[in-house]
Amino acid sequence: RKEVEQDPGPFNVPEGATVAFNCTYSNSASQSFFWYRQDCRKEPKLLMSVYSSGNEDGRFTAQLNRASQYISLLIRDSKLSDSATYLCVVKRTTDSWGKLQFGAGTQVVVTP
Amino acid sequence: AAGVIQSPRHLIKEKRETATLKCYPIPRHDTVYWYQQGPGQDPQFLISFYEKMQSDKGSIPDRFSAQQFSDYHSELNMSSLELGDSALYFCASSLGRLIEGEDTEAFFGQGTRLTVV
């Protein structure tokens, strides 16, 4: 079983709609969580970190559920430019250093 | 701000040749990750280094090797290249150490596009 799992999608979303998807992690020692966005054939770029209390950045809301070991990303009022692959990244700690684990990504396609 | 630098950006090699990809992490970052992304595929983790030692290994073929140097830059060496090695190769860097107040996010380079003909 992969340490970080995501629904690959694609999630087909009408423009203006809301879409949400999760990422599950298997290692309870995981400490830090991030969402990255990757556009076609370009490098992944940090979208937002995920904090324990949940956080919001404009139309994007991230949540962390430690009990069930998953994080979520919600996109409101979807724009065509939101079409991308969203990568979940989990960092777990071992002694004094951390190790990043990447999910395989969830593809979102926003349609007119 | 300085970002992750990868070189070369594009590389064309023939089958059975060798290639060396380089990655220069963000200053002070001590951890480097290598990913391979084939056409229409998700990034596949190859290998990572922390403080010049291999920290994790993914689906890296035996024909490939990598190392991290004293200045924290990393090189991915690929030998006996095959057509299937044609892909985009990303490098990412982060702080491996947990330092209070420091960001621990990973930042990616723009990638090296390798074409094997």
Side-chain angles (χ1 to χ4, degrees), chain B residues 91-105:
Chain B
C91 165
S93 77
S94 74
L95 269 177
R97 290 163 289 133
L98 292 179
I99 301 174
E100 193 166 347
E102 293 275 4
D103 290 335
T104 58
E105 299 96 336

Side-chain angles (χ1 to χ4, degrees), chain A residues 37-39 41-45, chain B residues 88 90 108-111:
Chain A
R37 169 198 170 121
Q38 184 178 29
D39 294 295
R41 309 304 286 167
K42 294 191 175 179
E43 77 274 22
K45 293 187 176 177
Chain B
L88 199 50
F90 290 114
F108 284 79
Q110 291 183 297

Side-chain angles (χ1 to χ4, degrees), chain B residues 46-96:
Chain B
L46 293 178
I47 195 167
S48 62
F49 293 88
Y50 167 68
E51 281 291 347
K52 292 153 281 185
M53 292 184 64
Q54 181 182 307
S55 57
D56 199 10
K57 195 171 182 179
S59 53
I60 184 169
D62 291 340
R63 300 177 289 107
F64 293 6
S65 65
Q67 57 181 328
Q68 185 179 32
F69 296 85
S70 58
D71 63 352
Y72 295 106
H73 94 272
S74 178
E75 295 184 2
L76 177 66
N77 299 294
M78 311 159 73
S79 62
S80 302
L81 286 169
E82 301 173 358
L83 295 178
D85 295 329
S86 295
L88 199 50
Y89 290 83
F90 290 114
C91 165
S93 77
S94 74
L95 269 177

Side-chain angles (χ1 to χ4, degrees), chain A residues 36 38 43 91 97-99 102, chain B residues 35 37 42 56 95-96 106 109:
Chain A
Y36 283 76
Q38 184 178 29
E43 77 274 22
K91 187 170 190 176
W97 66 280
K99 178 179 174 179
F102 289 78
Chain B
Y35 285 80
Q37 187 171 28
D42 300 319
D56 199 10
L95 269 177

